[in-house]
Amino acid sequence: MDRVLADFIQAVRGAQVRVSVAEALEAHEVVRVLGYGDREVLREGLGVTLAKTVDEKARFFAAFDRYFTAEAFADADHQDYLATDEGAIAPESESEASTLVEQLLRGDRAGLMSSLREAVREVGVSEMTLFTQRGVVMQRLTARMGLDRLDQELAQLERSGQGSSDRARRLREGRAYLIDQMKTFVQQQVALYTGASGEALREQALSERRLNKLEEDDIARMTELTQRLARRLARQHARRARRARRGQLDVRRTLRRNMGFDGELFNIHWRRIRVDRPRVVVICDVSRSVSDYTRFLLLFLHSLSEVMDRIRSFTFCADVVEVTDIFDEQPVATALEAAQAAAPVGPTDYGRTLAHLVERHLDAFTPRTTVLFLGDARNNLGDPRADLLKLIGQRSRHLIWLNPEPFVTWNTGDSIIATYQPLCHVVRECATLKQLEEAVNQMLRLTTRAV
């Protein structure tokens, strides 16, 4: 595969377009047939080969335009240097002047661009994986372009008393111009080749940030990331369900059953895994200290509806209210706000919440139900009614408590998590999107059992 196409495919992958080895080979065949002569034809041909979805096509065409658009050196900030060709100065000695010095003295933009592209290929800009490598690449590129010899030339002119000569002035202006163009060019290459890794780093940092510490600008990105993680988790769980239906060979039982046949396998035993579509009851504290976490838990769970049998949702503060109908009747984006606003406002009362859950909604808790309780267990010194939480746990298949507070603050002040913890199957900290994903994944795995 030629270097131009290989670098372009790397740039396309950097734009978060998935390109397999087979597709890369098909792209090579497209280039062999179409060639590089007609840019628009090549753009459409490679687009059909490499981009599979509408979003990927948009990212592909943007990457193609950035990669194959030959950027002439810009003129904006260096009009004095680029004003006219009359300012060009011929080198004093062709044998003594470096190629870079010659190009700068003559104002040879085409030659400078050609040299820069060659230097970029030799430095290996396309092999960058992180945007933080930009400084190292710039240093290598500076050395490869020969700026050291240019600086020596300027220093020699200063020592000989020619620092104010037209030649020195021309070289200083050309050097500043070249540095600016190199920075711009490297930034363009960084955007081409490190887009995916840079985005992955930002998303990783965001997923590990506490959900109540998000900036306003991060909310939209976090919402999109939450839905994407939920879809990924749904695909993983769907694959596990398909494998379970197919079954797995139980080698031990198969060999034991066929010992009387001299090792011939007449009786095959399959070990099957039962994967239930979980029925989930989620009960969320929407008081001020917990509401940010509630929003993302509800968003995550309702984005998993395709692998859930049913989700019943409750929110509470001073009292509890069922909000399942809100999610059934409204899009998730608007339902989140309405669900959080539905609970009566007042001091958080876990005891009253549990009492009203048992009194009004005891039928929601069955041997097929997994209960997710999200709250900091700070009860304002009220009666915790642990007996009612125990009843809910006994009636349910699993009771999982997610506490958004840091573990070191549990059981301090008015926290009653120590009272509730022995009554739950799982109690874990859940303050970041990463921890939320792990908790929901654990819940889904708890619905799997061998038969």
Side-chain angles (χ1 to χ4, degrees):
M1 186 179 297
D2 66 86
R3 181 62 181 271
V4 173
L5 180 60
D7 286 350
F8 172 64
I9 289 176
Q10 184 69 19
V12 170
R13 287 171 173 155
Q16 295 183 304
V17 177
R18 296 167 297 169
V19 179
S20 66
V21 175
E23 289 167 341
L25 293 175
E26 289 177 4
H28 176 71
E29 186 65 16
V30 168
V31 171
R32 187 188 67 80
V33 173
L34 300 180
Y36 290 104
D38 192 324
R39 182 173 177 272
E40 288 303 317
V41 171
L42 180 64
R43 185 174 185 265
E44 294 300 325
L46 289 175
V48 170
T49 305
L50 300 178
K52 281 77 71 179
T53 67
V54 174
D55 289 340
E56 284 192 354
K57 285 186 182 296
R59 291 193 292 268
F60 170 84
F61 288 135
F64 184 96
D65 293 339
R66 287 196 301 269
Y67 184 85
F68 283 104
T69 299
E71 295 286 348
F73 274 24
D75 302 346
D77 299 324
H78 298 275
Q79 291 298 334
D80 292 341
Y81 176 69
L82 299 170
T84 64
D85 292 337
E86 295 175 1
I89 299 176
E92 295 177 354
S93 170
E94 294 289 342
S95 59
E96 295 178 0
S98 69
T99 301
L100 178 60
V101 170
E102 292 179 22
Q103 291 170 339
L104 291 177
L105 289 175
R106 291 172 176 162
D108 183 4
R109 280 179 283 178
L112 288 170
M113 190 65 185
S114 176
S115 298
L116 181 56
R117 286 191 177 278
E118 182 180 352
V120 164
R121 283 194 294 270
E122 293 186 7
V123 168
V125 174
S126 63
E127 298 174 4
M128 286 191 299
T129 56
L130 298 173
F131 65 90
T132 52
Q133 296 172 292
R134 180 172 50 194
V136 175
V137 170
M138 189 66 183
Q139 290 178 352
R140 293 176 181 173
L141 198 56
T142 299
R144 176 62 185 78
M145 285 293 291
L147 263 72
D148 291 343
R149 292 192 61 182
L150 174 60
D151 291 339
Q152 292 173 6
E153 170 94 6
L154 286 169
Q156 185 177 354
L157 289 172
E158 290 288 342
R159 286 194 299 269
S160 64
Q162 302 180 53
S164 59
S165 66
D166 288 343
R167 180 184 179 86
R169 174 188 57 79
R170 183 74 174 172
L171 288 178
R172 280 194 295 270
E173 292 174 353
R175 185 184 187 280
Y177 168 72
L178 179 61
I179 291 293
D180 280 353
Q181 301 309 314
M182 288 170 59
K183 287 180 179 178
T184 300
F185 196 83
V186 168
Q187 287 173 353
Q188 292 171 349
Q189 302 303 300
V190 166
L192 271 173
Y193 295 114
T194 67
S197 57
E199 185 69 17
L201 280 177
R202 284 189 288 272
E203 289 186 353
Q204 179 182 351
L206 202 59
S207 68
E208 295 176 356
R209 188 180 304 174
R210 297 188 70 85
L211 295 174
N212 66 336
K213 301 295 184 183
L214 295 177
E215 301 291 339
E216 189 67 29
D217 295 340
D218 293 330
I219 298 296
R221 181 189 290 269
M222 181 64 92
T223 298
E224 179 185 352
L225 180 58
T226 301
Q227 292 173 318
R228 194 185 326 141
L229 291 176
R231 289 194 296 269
R232 185 181 70 182
L233 203 58
R235 288 195 298 269
Q236 292 175 353
H237 191 69
R239 284 198 297 269
R240 292 175 61 234
R242 288 195 295 270
R243 286 196 300 267
R245 287 194 295 270
R246 185 173 62 241
Q248 295 178 341
L249 178 64
D250 190 325
V251 177
R252 180 187 299 176
R253 291 187 180 181
T254 298
L255 292 177
R256 187 184 304 125
R257 288 186 174 187
N258 290 276
M259 291 179 65
F261 303 108
D262 295 327
E264 297 293 337
L265 303 182
F266 289 102
N267 297 320
I268 307 298
H269 183 81
W270 296 95
R271 182 175 181 270
R272 299 194 180 278
I273 304 295
R274 180 174 177 177
V275 179
D276 292 335
R277 286 168 58 89
R279 294 181 178 178
V280 176
V281 173
V282 56
I283 307 164
C284 297
D285 185 350
V286 293
S287 61
R288 183 179 301 177
S289 59
V290 187
S291 60
D292 290 330
Y293 305 100
T294 292
R295 173 185 178 85
F296 287 101
L297 174 61
L298 290 173
L299 175 62
F300 204 113
L301 289 177
H302 285 276
S303 297
L304 284 169
S305 56
E306 62 186 85
V307 293
M308 301 282 193
D309 188 32
R310 177 167 172 75
I311 303 175
R312 290 188 67 174
S313 304
F314 298 85
T315 58
F316 72 93
C317 189
D319 201 354
V320 65
V321 61
E322 183 169 7
V323 294
T324 305
D325 291 343
I326 295 178
F327 285 96
D328 290 341
E329 297 168 0
Q330 300 181 31
V332 174
T334 57
L336 290 171
E337 302 295 336
Q340 288 184 286
V345 179
T348 308
D349 192 332
Y350 282 78
R352 180 187 296 175
T353 294
L354 291 170
H356 287 172
L357 280 172
V358 170
E359 178 184 336
R360 305 169 187 169
H361 306 286
L362 190 60
D363 62 317
F365 308 104
T366 71
R368 287 196 59 190
T369 300
T370 297
V371 180
L372 278 179
F373 216 120
L374 174 67
D376 57 9
R378 295 197 174 274
N379 200 36
N380 297 298
L381 304 179
D383 185 356
R385 296 303 305 270
D387 57 315
L388 298 180
L389 184 65
K390 180 178 181 180
L391 174 62
I392 290 175
Q394 290 173 340
R395 288 179 59 89
S396 304
R397 183 173 180 181
H398 300 289
L399 174 57
I400 301 173
W401 192 290
L402 306 180
N403 191 334
E405 286 194 336
F407 181 76
V408 294
T409 66
W410 292 13
N411 304 313
T412 61
D414 60 348
S415 173
I416 53 173
I417 191 66
T419 303
Y420 289 156
Q421 188 165 2
L423 309 176
C424 302
H425 298 94
V426 177
V427 177
R428 57 184 299 161
E429 181 182 342
C430 186
T432 67
L433 183 57
K434 183 178 179 181
Q435 292 174 334
L436 175 58
E437 181 187 16
E438 292 171 352
V440 176
N441 187 37
Q442 181 182 19
M443 179 201 71
L444 292 175
R445 287 185 174 277
L446 286 173
T447 65
T448 304
R449 61 178 183 269
V451 294

